[in-house]
Amino acid sequence: MDWDKIWEQIQEEVIAFIIGGIVTYIIYFLAKQTKPNRIGEKIVLRLPTLYWYLAIILLFALPIILLADSYSLFKQNGKFILPNQMMFYIIIPLMFVALFLIFYCKNHEIILGKDSIVSYGLTRKRKEIQWKSISKVQFQQGSFRVYELKKHIEITSYLAGFAIFLEHLKKYVSTDLSEEAFRKYEKFLKNS
């Protein structure tokens, strides 16, 4: 057993883990600093644009990684060989995730007004619920859901300006409808 090689591999993995943690924290911090857009008296909640940039970088970096792996195999063997299947199993789904994130960042938005809350989904389908007609409020899996008779709007906690949505919810919706949802949200914050 070659302990020097094992020790080098452990050091590389620890360094990669530390760098990954630092980058993840920086992304989280920058995303939390994003302010929502204001259009007159309306407030537009969206994913932070940082996620869009990261998805673009990921979309272009992944094929480059595949090409670099192919090139390194070419240098070793002297002939062109496709990267191993594991690379494809990881990179191709990540490319689809990046594409989804790009469209989600561009299309999905929640607009808060005095009278209503409007949601545009991934396909730009519009849903509108009047604050006074909200019949139920729930909090599940990091998202608030506000219900009207047959439709609902989901507001996820990672949208820029989520705190403003909470203020609007407290202001325009009666406490008896939202009390349980806020209790679950507080519990969610403590656990995360």
Side-chain angles (χ1 to χ4, degrees), residues 57-71 91 95:
I57 290 168
L58 192 62
L59 189 63
F60 287 107
L62 292 173
I64 292 171
I65 291 170
L66 274 177
L67 289 172
D69 193 39
S70 293
Y71 180 71
I91 289 181
M95 288 177 70

Side-chain angles (χ1 to χ4, degrees), residues 66-133:
L66 274 177
L67 289 172
D69 193 39
S70 293
Y71 180 71
S72 69
L73 290 172
F74 174 75
K75 283 188 89 171
Q76 289 173 358
N77 300 326
K79 58 183 177 177
F80 179 75
I81 301 173
L82 287 174
N84 64 23
Q85 289 180 338
M86 198 55 145
M87 288 287 282
F88 283 105
Y89 290 143
I90 294 170
I91 289 181
I92 300 300
L94 281 176
M95 288 177 70
F96 282 112
V97 168
L99 276 173
F100 173 78
L101 191 56
I102 288 168
F103 287 112
Y104 194 79
C105 287
K106 283 297 181 188
N107 292 336
H108 179 69
E109 63 185 11
I110 305 290
I111 301 172
L112 304 174
K114 287 183 196 176
D115 301 326
S116 65
I117 179 171
V118 179
S119 169
Y120 290 96
L122 183 65
T123 59
R124 295 301 289 171
K125 182 179 176 185
R126 184 179 194 272
K127 289 184 196 176
E128 182 173 5
I129 294 179
Q130 300 293 318
W131 288 111
K132 62 185 175 191
S133 66

